[in-house]
């Protein structure tokens, strides 16, 4: 029997190969669980840790990396290895995280669902670091006392008996899948055999179970006669065949569904011991752990038997059976709030709960809203259509394979995202059997239903049939005619099962594990943002969903949770004043201030002289709504200069170079850099780029070019903001610009000249960011160091740090910090070493607190020790450290109600150190910022080490006041600035990867299945250096060496971020600031190549004045366009006229001469704007600006006497014929939204009965009735689809024909366009009119038929396709050309008149 279960498990494992659940991810804020937008731009990038923090993956999960052939990977060696697991050795072994090294016994197999606290983790360290974290020295007293509610609930009654923990083994061990384990444990036979019944057991669905039935177990085991300890061992065979009602009498034992279950007692859980610890009667140590586990000595394998793990499983046992459970969050697929975010994905709001020990000698349950993304319940084709961005399912089957090469495209790779998802099929109906039948996707094959053939088995004849395609099989077997047989087929995990994609439907409630795109992220954030009042209501609804008071498991184990949230005593710290240049400002508790009438504390160091502006366009967008024109850019630049001067900035050059639209970011940066340099014969100080949208790709490419190729500061600005030209926006941008140019916005006004520090003090910030699971991007370690005595300005360095390695390597610490320490000592402290160092660390979990002290702090201390010169062999100076971890990824929220601001958010400075903090560790929750949207998220600060004995109130005041010193904001920020800057620097490193942009985009799409793929085989390549060393275009190797030598003895300051290179292997996060002219190394012209400049002539396009001319000329030309139109329409829509002459005669006889000008006014209104558009387009075609051309072979920065700032249009002098056609087509499409309804009204009036029987009294009456009869505005826009087709074709041919004839005449006769005579213009215009109608007339016929058709039961044509079909069937080809005669007669003079009027009017107006 056991052999049969092993065989079955092996088969199940093979069938589901590669189908492991993807790891949970919160690495990018919009992936995995999401509890609202971060309070700072871009949430931190490490995956979640046990408890309420973030960082690298858990210690018991091998850290993932890119595949072996990941682009840009190279092997690096370490300077020295750490004791347990430091950087790679010289052999090229990949960098490992000490927290996850297999040799390290700490943090192994700790339950990941429990908020343990750092002290528990620190106890299990076997290293030489402190065995415990520092205790809380006391509580702070400063500030105003207030009461507020927390989203935590106290446990008011917990079990006080002993419980027993058991190891559960099914089959031979790890072979069974979760679905099979669930079926075995939940079977009726299991319930009857297990002592006490399943209701007395808690099972984690894997290997652990808890119960209070040890005595019952002893009695039960007598019947099994086990040779092992009968009191601690239980074994049984579970027959799932019997469970499913199968007849097993004739079944072979090898095929039986039999499974052995073995349960063994592993520990005794005594809940009284945890309260002894909370009461302070015992410390964490062998006594407590032995009391909990009842085993001695303590081993790593017993750590998972902790009391909190039991309680965590206890509170989630009930909800996990009723709701979708993803770690600590629960989602109700029926009643949960949902929001479609696009791409076949929906966001769902759920509830999060976590149990923790808390100050106040109690345990609490933290409850908060949780958000994550799920696949939308829809058919696979619909999901794939949304994923790939298609709008028409009919074209989707033809886009997943390249027809020329036969290879699959990126859209096929997008389809692969369906792998590992459950689905159901619809072609067999929805019987009870089929409703409960669920399949799982193993793969998407690169064969369509037409191509995939197989040999079916004919059961009736008991033989194989002839080969048949899947398409034919479904038609023959199920009478299902596949609508999209060219889509790829779906392979199931069950062998040999293939389905056409269109019969597959996604099962609801399946998490979407992929990284969201920008649009999805935006929608997700909008959905997740909730003001405090609404968030509290959602939490209360979530607690009702959890049903604590009705949970049978909680009742059975006597656990009661207070339904009312905890109210705590909080404090609002006193806000500081802000120091500007010669003025101060006290923001109070508002948390905001503006820069009106304020000058920056420190302006730019050197006058802004060498700078320029460039405009970037989006080639994929037909509209250019986000791209400003020349006048708007010039107005923005002038406001920019005026605002900067108003804030104290120094601007010498008020006419910077302005480059016009470019679609390629790299080319745009190149032209601007060389253009500005050549104009001023100097290195650019600042390059401003105006972006058309928020595309990350454009931003990264610009930063990569300017940071790593040209070495110039850049500032990116949204085109929409340039168009608005808001002064407040200018002030916000100028805070960044001024800092990049060496200035400072402001700082906290301090009574003491030394600020918060009475002794030489340095502040260091550190952060490590990670890519999303499955994305093969490296981790980035960033370090910041304060660069003044107030810790207001910082320098930063960043470098790759392995793959998902959280601890910063020794090599990176040395490379980044050593030169910064030397500069600090020489320039900040006057040659003294610091007495005190604050080390703020972001992104680590409680499980890694001790590793920060053991590895990172130990390395930093060693760097300082090497800089201390010993006297008589004894070090005379000791640097004291204060180590603080800052965390944002937690679920604690404050709800002050009316004691808060206008949105009921806490005021800036609100601090909580009771009730939800750790029982003994020195931690606080501080909300230092003002939340503009949503609910404020406080920052959790935990002091791990304090060798300087900083007073509690002093430390808390420093944390809060420094949040006012963030150089890029007019608000206090939510995170300590040193850490904030490190976070920005690590994110900026993405732009400096040594990888092609196309490869980066493919890599960043990710594959969550890689998240458990094992260790990387190589180290990531270092980031690109910021200053080019090889092939420097403006100098020689000597110059490079001169610059490098100079840099090693100076610091480049960049507002809050100052950047400089320490050595060729170290990469800093932003640009190096421009040196002052008197300190700049000379550029020897012997090494400079001069650049040939091409002179160009610019033609003024006229702007708004030209547009008015176009409109007037077009309106004049439109008057002549209404003639004989009624004859055409009558011939198209009726059969009572024998021809055009007969039609005209009868109309004149029966309705009078004015009938030929019915609705002339309405039609003229339509024609005027239409022809105005024609005039504008013609003017663009005939008079484009000629671009200035720059040849950037080498940058010499030689001033040319002919060089002038230009707004480069980037267009060639003449549009091609294809561009002319497209210009006309787009003009027609734009015009159709006016012409469609107007022509509809005209046709109705022209075709209605004459005299007393007429249907409409006039145009307005016609409009009202069409809207009423058509059920809304759609009735007025009937026939709009065919109108779009007609206008695009007609106007395109019209433009093309006229321009072709005009150019042909000019070319053959060598006559300028302005000299072509009026008769020739009329002739060419008339020929263009004939071409217009000949190319579009069939569409016009169908349009007239549809717009004269009835409504409701009288409607004859269902749609455009039906109108074409009926016309062809009844009248043949001739039906599409009825009325062409009078149309052509009218077209020649009308079109000739239109063009001659437009052309002559333009000439008359100059």
């Amino acid at each position: 029997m056991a052999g049969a279960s092993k065989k079955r498990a092996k088969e199940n494992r093979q069938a589901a190969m590669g189908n492991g659940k993807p790891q949970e991810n919160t690495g990018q804020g919009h992936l995995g669980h999401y509890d609202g937008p971060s309070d700072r731009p871009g949430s931190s990038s490490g995956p979640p840790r046990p408890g309420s923090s973030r960082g690298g993956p858990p210690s018991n999960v091998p850290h993932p990396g890119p595949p072996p052939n990941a682009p840009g990977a190279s092997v690096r060696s370490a300077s020295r290895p750490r004791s347990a697991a430091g950087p790679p050795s010289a052999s090229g072994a990949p960098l490992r995280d000490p927290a996850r090294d297999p040799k390290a016994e700490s943090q192994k197999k700790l339950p990941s669902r429990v908020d343990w606290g750092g002290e528990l983790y620190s106890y299990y360290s076997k290293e030489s670091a402190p065995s415990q974290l520092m205790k809380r020295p006391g509580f702070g007293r400063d500030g105003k006392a207030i009461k507020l509610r927390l989203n935590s609930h106290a446990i008011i009654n917990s079990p006080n008996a002993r419980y027993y923990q058991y190891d559960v083994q099914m089959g031979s061990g790890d072979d069974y899948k979760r679905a099979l384990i669930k079926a075995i444990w939940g079977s009726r036979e299991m319930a009857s055999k297990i002592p006490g019944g399943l209701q007395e057991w808690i099972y984690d669905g894997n290997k652990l179970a808890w119960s209070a039935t040890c005595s019952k177990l002893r009695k039960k085991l007598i019947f099994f006669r086990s040779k092992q300890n009968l009191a601690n061992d239980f074994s049984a065979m579970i027959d799932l065949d019997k469970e499913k009602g199968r007849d097993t009498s004739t079944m072979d034992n090898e095929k039986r569904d039999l499974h052995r279950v073995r349960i063994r007692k592993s520990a005794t859980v005594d809940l009284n011991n945890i309260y002894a610890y909370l009461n302070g009667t015992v410390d964490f140590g062998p006594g407590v752990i032995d009391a909990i586990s009842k085993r001695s000595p303590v081993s790593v394998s017993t750590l998972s038997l902790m009391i909190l793990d039991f309680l965590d499983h206890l509170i989630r046992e009930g909800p996990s059976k009723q709701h979708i459970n993803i770690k600590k969050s629960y989602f109700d697929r029926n009643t949960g709030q949902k929001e479609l975010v696009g791409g076949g994905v929906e966001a769902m709001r759920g509830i999060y709960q976590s149990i923790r020990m808390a100050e106040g000698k109690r345990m609490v349950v933290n409850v908060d809203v949780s958000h994550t993304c799920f696949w939308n319940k829809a058919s696979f084709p619909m999901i794939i259509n949304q994923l790939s961005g298609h709008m028409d399912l009919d074209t989707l089957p033809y886009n997943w394979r390249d027809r020329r090469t036969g290879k699959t495209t990126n859209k096929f790779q997008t389809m692969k995202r369906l792998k590992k998802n459950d689905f159901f099929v619809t072609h067999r109906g929805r019987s009870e059997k089929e409703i409960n039948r669920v399949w799982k996707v193993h793969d998407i094959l690169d064969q369509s239903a037409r191509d995939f053939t197989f040999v079916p088995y004919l059961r009736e004849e008991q033989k194989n049939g002839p080969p048949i395609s899947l398409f034919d099989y479904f038609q023959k077997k199920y009478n299902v005619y596949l609508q999209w047989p060219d889509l790829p087929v779906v392979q199931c995990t069950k062998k040999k099962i293939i389905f056409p994609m269109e019969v597959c439907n996604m099962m609801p409630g399946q998490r979407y594990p992929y990284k969201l795109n920008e649009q999805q992220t935006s929608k997700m954030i909008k959905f997740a943002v909730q003001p405090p009042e609404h968030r509290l209501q959602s939490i209360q609804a979530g607690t009702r969903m959890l049903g604590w008071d009705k949970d049978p498991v909680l009742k059975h184990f006597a656990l009661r949770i207070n339904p009312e949230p905890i109210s705590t005593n909080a404090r609002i710290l006193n806000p500081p004043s802000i120091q500007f240049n010669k003025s101060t400002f006290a923001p109070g508790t508002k948390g905001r201030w503006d820069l009106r009438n304020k000058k920056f504390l420190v302006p730019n160091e050197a006058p802004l002289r060498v700078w320029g502006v460039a405009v970037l366009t989006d080639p994929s967008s037909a509209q250019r709504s986000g791209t400003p024109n020349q006048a708007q850019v010039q107005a923005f630049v002038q406001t920019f200069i005026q605002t900067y001067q108003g804030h104290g900035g120094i601007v010498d050059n008020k006419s910077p170079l302005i480059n016009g639209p470019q679609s390629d970011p790299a080319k745009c940066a190149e032209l601007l850099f060389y253009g500005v340099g050549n104009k001023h014969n100097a290195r650019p100080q600042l390059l401003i780029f105006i972006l058309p949208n928020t595309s990350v790709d454009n931003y990264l490419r610009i930063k990569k070019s300017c940071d790593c190729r040209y070495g110039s500061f850049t500032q990116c600005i949204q085109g929409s903001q340039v168009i608005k030209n808001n002064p407040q926006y200018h002030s916000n941008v100028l805070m960044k610009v001024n800092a990049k140019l060496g200035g400072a916005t402001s700082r906290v006004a301090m009574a003491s000249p030394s600020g918060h520090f009475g002794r030489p003090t340095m502040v260091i910030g550190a952060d490590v960011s990670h890519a999303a699971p499955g994305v093969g991007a490296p981790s980035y370690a960033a370090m910041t160091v304060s660069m003044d005595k107030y810790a207001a300005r910082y320098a930063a360095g960043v470098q790759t740090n392995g793959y998902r390695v959280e601890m910063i390597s020794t090599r990176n610490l040395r490379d980044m910090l050593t030169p910064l320490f030397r500069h600090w000592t020489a320039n900040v402290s006057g040659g003294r070493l610091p007495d005190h160092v604050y080390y703020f660390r972001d992104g680590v979990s409680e499980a890694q607190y001790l590793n920060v002290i053991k590895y990172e702090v130990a390395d930093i201390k060693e760097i300082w020790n090497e800089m201390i010169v010993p006297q008589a062999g004894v070090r005379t100076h000791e640097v004291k450290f204060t180590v603080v971890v800052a965390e944002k990824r937690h679920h604690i929220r404050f709800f002050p109600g009316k004691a808060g601001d206008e949105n009921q958010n806490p005021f800036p400075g609100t601090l909580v150190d009771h009730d939800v903090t750790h029982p003994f560790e020195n931690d606080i929750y501080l909300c230092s910022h003002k939340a503009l949207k949503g609910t404020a998220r406080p920052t959790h600060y935990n002091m791990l080490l304090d060798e300087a004995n900083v007073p509690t109130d002093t430390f808390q005041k420093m944390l809060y006041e420094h949040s006012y010193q963030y150089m890029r904001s007019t608000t206090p920020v939510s995170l300590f600035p040193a850490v904030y800057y490190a976070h920005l620097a690590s994110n900026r490193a993405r732009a400096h990867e040594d990888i092609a942009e196309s490869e980066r985009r493919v890599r960043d799409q990710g594959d969550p299945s890689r998240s458990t793929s094992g260790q990387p085989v190589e180290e990531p390549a270092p980031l690109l250096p910021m200053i080019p060393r090889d092939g420097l275009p403006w100098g020689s190797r000597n110059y490079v060496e001169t610059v490098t030598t100079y840099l090693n003895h100076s610091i480049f300051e960049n507002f809050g971020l100052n950047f400089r290179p320490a050595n060729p292997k170290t990469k800093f996060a932003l640009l190096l600031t421009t040196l002052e002219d008197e300190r700049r190394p000379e550029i020897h012209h012997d090494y400079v190549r001069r650049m040939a400049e091409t002179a160009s002539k610019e033609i003024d396009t006229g702007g708004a004045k030209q547009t008015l001319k176009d409109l007037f000329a077009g309106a004049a030309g439109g008057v002549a366009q209404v003639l004989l139109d009624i004859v055409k329409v009558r011939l198209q829509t009726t059969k009572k006229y024998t021809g055009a002459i007969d039609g005209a005669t009868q109309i004149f006889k029966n309705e009078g001469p004015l009938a030929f000008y019915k609705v002339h006014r309405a039609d003229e209104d339509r024609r005027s704007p239409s022809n105005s558009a024609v005039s504008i387009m013609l003017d663009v075609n005939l008079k484009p600006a000629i671009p200035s051309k720059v040849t950037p072979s080498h940058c010499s920065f030689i001033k040319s006497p002919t060089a002038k700032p230009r707004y480069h249009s980037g267009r060639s002098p003449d549009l091609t014929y294809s561009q002319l056609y497209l210009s006309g087509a787009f003009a027609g499409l734009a015009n159709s939204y006016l012409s469609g309804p107007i022509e509809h009204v005209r046709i109705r009036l022209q075709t209605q009965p004459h005299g007393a029987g007429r249907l409409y009294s006039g145009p307005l009456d016609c409009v009202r009735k069409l809207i009423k009869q058509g059920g809304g505005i759609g009735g007025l826009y009937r026939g709009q689809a065919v109108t779009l087709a007609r206008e695009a074709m007609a106007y395109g041919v019209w433009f093309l024909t006229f321009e072709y004839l005009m150019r042909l005449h000019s070319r053959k006769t060598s006559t300028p366009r302005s000299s072509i005579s009026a008769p020739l213009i009329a002739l060419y215009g008339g020929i263009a009119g004939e071409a217009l109608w000949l190319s579009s007339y069939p569409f016009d016929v169908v349009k007239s038929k549809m717009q004269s058709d009835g409504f409701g039961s009288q409607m004859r044509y269902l749609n455009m396709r039906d109108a074409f079909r009926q016309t062809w069937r009844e009248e043949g080809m001739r039906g599409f050309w009825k009325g062409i005669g009078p149309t052509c007669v009218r077209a020649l003079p009308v079109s000739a008149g239109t063009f001659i009027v437009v052309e002559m009017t333009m000439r008359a107006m100059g």
Side-chain angles (χ1 to χ4, degrees), residues 675-722:
V676 172
N678 289 330
K679 177 182 177 182
H680 298 280
N681 191 26
R683 188 180 188 82
Q685 296 171 277
L686 178 67
L687 303 177
I688 297 178
F689 295 90
I690 300 173
L691 308 183
N693 49 43
T694 58
S695 170
V696 175
D697 292 337
N698 289 336
Y699 177 84
L700 292 180
R701 291 190 65 189
I702 286 175
K703 295 298 183 181
K704 187 173 188 175
S705 293
C706 294
D707 292 359
C708 304
R709 184 175 301 165
Y710 308 123
S712 291
F713 280 115
T714 56
Q715 180 63 52
C716 294
I717 298 173
Q718 288 297 309
S720 58
Q721 296 293 342
V722 173

Side-chain angles (χ1 to χ4, degrees), residues 240 290 425:
L240 291 185
D290 291 347
V425 295

